[in-house]
Amino acid sequence: VLASLLGLPTTTHEPPAEMSSEKQREHIFAVLLEVIARGGTSSPVVFALEDLHWADPSTREFAAHLAARAEELGVYLVAKS
């Protein structure tokens, strides 16, 4: 999912083309949260978001998802506008 988002060649786990944009966004958020969660299993993670006043709506939506699960994921979230 992240490879296709970044325009990199992929071999597996690419979301189906018929997946709606909303489902794709949910899938991307889930993958990003999983990556962050894996980092927090062995040691605490500090995740910093700066200049949120410039962030697009999807980034702000992901930041809200991350904030809602930060404690559960073992993430210290720092956000600055």
Side-chain angles (χ1 to χ4, degrees), residues 13-70:
H13 305 311
E14 192 164 336
E18 67 273 357
M19 188 181 286
S20 71
S21 60
E22 180 62 30
K23 288 290 182 190
Q24 286 180 358
R25 181 173 37 250
E26 289 174 11
H27 191 64
I28 290 168
F29 284 3
V31 169
L32 290 172
L33 289 173
E34 177 66 24
V35 168
I36 293 166
R38 286 184 185 191
T41 57
S42 59
S43 63
V45 171
V46 176
F47 198 91
L49 298 166
E50 290 191 58
D51 297 329
L52 285 174
H53 59 282
W54 295 112
D56 62 273
S58 292
T59 301
R60 282 183 259 157
E61 185 180 350
F62 176 72
H65 277 66
L66 179 58
R69 295 194 52 207

Side-chain angles (χ1 to χ4, degrees), residues 6-19:
L6 297 171
L8 301 172
T10 60
T11 56
T12 60
H13 305 311
E14 192 164 336
E18 67 273 357
M19 188 181 286

